[in-house]
Amino acid sequence: MATSMAPVLVAALLCCLGLSLPLNEKSSKSAKFPKDFVWAAATSAFQVEGGQIGTGRGPSIWDRFLVLHSNKDNSSGEVACDTYHKYPSDSALMKDLGISNYRFSISWPRLFPNGRVNKVNPEGVKYYHDLIDSLLKNGIKPVVTLYHWDLPLSLGDRGGWLNDAMVDWFGDYARFCFQEYGAKVKQWITINEPHTQSVYGYCSQVASHAPGGFQDNCEWSMYLAGHNFLLAHARAASIYKREFQATQKGLVGITINANWYEPDTSRDAAAANLAFEFMFGWFANAIFHPKGDYPAVMKRRMEVLRKKEGRVTARLPKLTAEQIKELKNSADFLGLNYYVSLIASANMSRSEPLESPSMKSTWGRDVNVFMFSRPEWQIGDSWIRYHPEGLRQILNFVKKNYNNIPVYITENGVMGAPGEDMNDKSRIFYVKGHIDAVHKAITEDSCNVKGYFFWSLLDNFEWHAGYTERFGMYHVSILTFTV
Ligand SMILES: *[C@@H]1O[C@H](CO)[C@@H](O)[C@H](O)[C@H]1NC(C)=O
Ligand SMILES: *[C@@H]1O[C@H](CO)[C@@H](O)[C@H](O)[C@H]1NC(C)=O
């Protein structure tokens, strides 16, 4: 397994890391970013680590999912980028690249094979110390996600995120991580993309994300999973703030993914806003909006559906006054993952092709907004869309509605186009466009953006797409292991 650079893309990013990037070919002006702006890259445990066998790690819901539902290339995460063994050379690559921060995730089942903190795997605990030490030695600051989708299978078997006990279990696991690594880790992300998890993990007709298999009654259980994600985030953040922040002096936040929904016509502004609040506000509003709670438009829509469906209670659970209070200000920053913009229309009989899977999901039916793509935003047949202005719009929404909270773009990037491989011109175009949008958001709109984490450092295991989508700044010659 050899790792080599995608030279052109790296050159483009290095250019930004030097804080001076010719963003517009027609202009000779260079874009200046704030001095303390963080240039970084991201990965997650299951997608890069490998080292799954004979290392004391327990199975996760993704291990089982891949046995039950094969992915695009019938691959597994058994070896992936072999970061479990190759972390020293990964750190050297990061140093070479000149990035200052690295976002990775801790594999919960590697630390706790059964999920509960009474049985720890010492080899796993040591691995993250070694990884963090190796980063620090190379001048790279670790940014750690506690949960990036690889739930211990034994907790998955107890209902996973549908079980209210997850809040306690996650809190215990988080406390262990803060205690063990908090002297060296100064930025924590509790949970990655709760929307993706709730909608595609717990309520997808086509099994695309673990755990899958919860389709029955998922029109309400999807919101229960989302509810438990929020409460688990609040629990972990409270533990950090109460027990560790004063001494460890780090930050805690959450990573939420958002599509931007552009209204088709001026009559579609409410539809676009509803779609955005249903996706992003579902998780962000309770944490960042001064009023807290679920977004008002989302609650109203769920109340309409309650009446229509003849239910006694709405499918969206209620947050208690105490929970609303705990969630408010439970994050020092927002982590934002952005890949997609869509057009939103209130006209459900539009003739454009339906945006799939968004609109075909139960979530899409609840939102009841017609979502489609502009042909010029399409990138091949990929699910990613090129519309950097959408990112700028989201940053402005956050500024306006969430008190201009500090934002780290914790993921943005695109897979290499077929045939381009390491001469990846279309990726350079994509990344430059988005960095340009971030620059305008900072300098022209005064948005409080603190950093940009490129997805991803390495080509890696892209879940249901297996190794077929190459997002890496570094090319990895991956051996595919069939499950
Ligand atoms: C994956 O496995 C399925 C079922 O065994 C098979 O039909 C399919 O051709 C395989 N796909 C690849 C890319 O190997
Ligand atoms: C809705 O879209 C369809 C198909 O594009 C069109 O024929 C119809 O006139 C639209 N309805 C409204 C109210 O705009």
Side-chain angles (χ1 to χ4, degrees):
M1 234 181 303
T3 312
S4 55
M5 253 192 257
V8 186
L9 179 68
V10 168
L13 279 159
L14 280 175
C15 191
C16 317
L17 305 177
L19 303 183
S20 136
L21 170 70
L23 290 164
N24 180 346
E25 274 155 33
K26 287 186 214 105
S27 111
S28 59
K29 251 180 46 199
S30 287
K32 294 266 187 269
F33 278 83
K35 252 204 168 59
D36 59 352
F37 193 81
V38 166
W39 295 102
T43 63
S44 90
F46 194 90
Q47 296 177 271
V48 299
E49 280 181 3
Q52 292 187 346
I53 309 292
T55 51
R57 171 190 178 272
S60 76
I61 56 172
W62 265 95
D63 298 69
R64 172 177 298 160
F65 181 82
L66 292 168
V67 173
L68 296 180
H69 315 273
S70 54
N71 59 358
K72 202 162 167 192
D73 56 3
N74 295 334
S75 61
S76 79
E78 199 172 316
V79 176
C81 307
D82 202 21
T83 290
Y84 188 73
H85 299 104
K86 290 189 157 60
Y87 65 87
S89 57
D90 288 358
S91 302
L93 291 176
M94 287 181 237
K95 186 181 181 178
D96 191 46
L97 196 57
I99 56 176
S100 61
N101 297 45
Y102 174 50
R103 174 182 177 226
F104 64 92
S105 77
I106 291 180
S107 159
W108 185 346
R110 187 182 292 293
L111 291 188
F112 301 107
N114 302 326
R116 298 294 287 116
V117 291
N118 52 3
K119 187 165 178 260
V120 66
N121 169 31
E123 186 178 333
V125 176
K126 180 176 180 312
Y127 166 67
Y128 292 108
H129 275 298
D130 292 346
L131 168 61
I132 292 165
D133 291 345
S134 152
L135 292 169
L136 291 173
K137 204 177 74 201
N138 283 286
I140 317 282
K141 294 190 192 86
V143 177
V144 177
T145 310
L146 290 170
Y147 181 74
H148 200 125
W149 306 1
D150 49 351
L151 185 69
L153 183 59
S154 60
L155 303 186
D157 284 345
R158 283 155 186 79
W161 292 98
L162 301 179
N163 188 337
D164 299 348
M166 276 301 300
V167 179
D168 290 337
W169 297 337
F170 184 68
D172 292 346
Y173 157 67
R175 178 183 285 109
F176 177 92
C177 295
F178 299 145
Q179 200 143 33
E180 188 68 35
Y181 305 113
K184 301 186 270 196
V185 173
K186 300 302 166 194
Q187 191 169 6
W188 296 96
I189 293 164
T190 53
I191 286 165
N192 179 71
E193 296 194 2
H195 178 271
T196 309
Q197 290 271 286
S198 307
V199 172
Y200 301 115
Y202 285 90
C203 198
S204 182
Q205 299 312 309
V206 219
S208 63
H209 280 264
F214 283 100
Q215 284 87 345
D216 287 346
N217 298 314
C218 76
E219 73 277 7
W220 67 263
S221 57
M222 151 176 80
Y223 296 103
L224 174 60
H227 198 68
N228 286 332
F229 276 119
L230 269 178
L231 299 180
H233 154 78
R235 174 67 59 83
S238 299
I239 288 173
Y240 188 71
K241 284 170 181 288
R242 273 202 318 267
E243 302 173 28
F244 299 97
Q245 198 162 42
T247 50
Q248 296 184 349
K249 302 192 179 355
L251 304 174
V252 63
I254 182 171
T255 280
I256 302 175
N257 59 312
N259 295 345
W260 178 247
Y261 295 93
E262 189 84 26
D264 185 33
T265 68
S266 56
R267 290 185 314 259
D268 298 308
N273 180 250
L274 182 68
F276 186 69
E277 292 286 16
F278 248 85
M279 182 175 194
F280 182 61
W282 179 4
F283 299 98
N285 202 81
I287 301 172
F288 299 107
H289 194 281
K291 286 207 178 105
D293 203 354
Y294 288 114
V297 290
M298 184 180 188
K299 290 201 296 184
R300 270 204 296 279
R301 170 74 189 150
M302 295 307 290
E303 182 56 19
V304 168
L305 290 171
R306 181 192 72 75
K307 285 193 186 130
K308 202 168 137 197
E309 294 161 5
R311 292 174 193 264
V312 177
T313 51
R315 289 185 271 125
L316 183 68
K318 281 196 169 63
L319 287 164
T320 65
E322 203 177 322
Q323 289 165 341
I324 290 172
K325 197 167 150 232
E326 190 186 16
L327 274 159
K328 251 196 261 179
N329 308 311
S330 63
D332 300 314
F333 64 90
L334 164 71
L336 173 68
N337 291 358
Y338 172 78
Y339 296 98
V340 171
S341 280
L342 295 172
I343 303 293
S345 168
N347 179 356
M348 293 305 282
S349 3
R350 293 290 304 232
S351 48
E352 285 80 3
L354 271 181
E355 180 66 16
S356 179
S358 287
M359 271 208 70
K360 290 182 179 166
S361 68
T362 305
W363 174 84
R365 281 195 295 276
D366 283 352
V367 181
N368 200 39
V369 167
F370 197 95
M371 303 168 190
F372 60 102
S373 180
R374 291 246 183 272
E376 62 271 27
W377 295 355
Q378 262 355 96
I379 303 177
D381 60 1
S382 116
W383 55 272
I384 290 184
R385 302 286 179 265
Y386 181 83
H387 185 56
E389 180 62 19
L391 175 56
R392 186 176 174 185
Q393 294 285 349
I394 296 173
L395 294 170
N396 275 278
F397 178 97
V398 169
K399 176 189 156 194
K400 187 165 154 237
N401 296 287
Y402 303 157
N403 279 335
N404 211 12
I405 182 106
V407 180
Y408 290 83
I409 292 153
T410 40
E411 287 183 29
N412 177 241
V414 66
M415 65 286 274
E420 284 193 357
D421 202 21
M422 288 202 269
N423 181 16
D424 39 13
K425 292 197 180 97
S426 47
R427 289 210 299 165
I428 294 166
F429 176 76
Y430 183 96
V431 173
K432 271 191 174 170
H434 286 79
I435 291 177
D436 189 16
V438 173
H439 183 256
K440 287 195 178 113
I442 297 171
T443 56
E444 294 175 26
D445 312 336
S446 309
C447 293
N448 195 4
V449 193
K450 296 294 194 187
Y452 178 90
F453 290 67
F454 181 72
W455 184 270
S456 172
L457 179 70
L458 307 166
D459 289 345
N460 63 44
F461 177 84
E462 278 295 334
W463 312 109
H464 52 283
Y467 297 101
T468 63
E469 296 179 350
R470 291 181 176 274
F471 278 85
M473 197 124 46
Y474 288 93
H475 180 88
V476 179
S477 312
I478 289 160
L479 304 168
T480 299
F481 283 78
T482 304
V483 283

